[in-house]
């Protein structure tokens, strides 16, 4: 195989890999979640037990998550 043909094939392969990587690199931006349809954000399986379908958030867990988010800020 000639060197020019091998270089051309390598270039085509490299461009193909680079284009696939660019297409796969999708980072969605921040968005505001709407409370109108909460079931769309975290759907449950159809055969989920009834006690899971009526679960309420734990206040201690919410407080813990709030404390973690406040602790991640810049320290001055």
């Amino acid at each position: 195989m000639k060197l020019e043909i091998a270089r051309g094939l390598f270039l085509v392969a490299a461009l193909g890999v680079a284009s696939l990587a660019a297409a796969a690199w999708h980072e969605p931006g921040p968005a505001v979640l709407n409370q109108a349809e909460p079931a769309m954000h975290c759907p449950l399986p159809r055969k989920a037990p009834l006690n899971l379908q009526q679960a309420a958030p734990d206040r201690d867990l919410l407080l813990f998550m709030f404390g973690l988010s406040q602790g991640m800020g810049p320290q001055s």
Side-chain angles (χ1 to χ4, degrees), residues 28-69:
V32 177
L33 297 179
N34 189 348
Q35 275 192 333
E37 299 176 5
M40 296 298 291
H41 301 296
C42 186
L44 289 173
R46 292 181 183 172
K47 296 182 180 181
L50 188 59
N51 59 355
L52 282 180
Q53 293 177 0
Q54 298 173 352
D58 186 13
R59 292 187 186 273
D60 293 335
L61 179 62
L62 291 175
L63 184 61
F64 176 69
M65 295 289 286
F66 178 72
L68 285 177
S69 66

Side-chain angles (χ1 to χ4, degrees), residues 4-31:
E4 293 84 14
I5 295 174
R7 280 186 189 165
L9 289 176
F10 179 75
L11 179 65
V12 168
L15 288 175
V17 169
S19 63
L20 283 175
W25 186 8
H26 172 70
E27 295 181 10

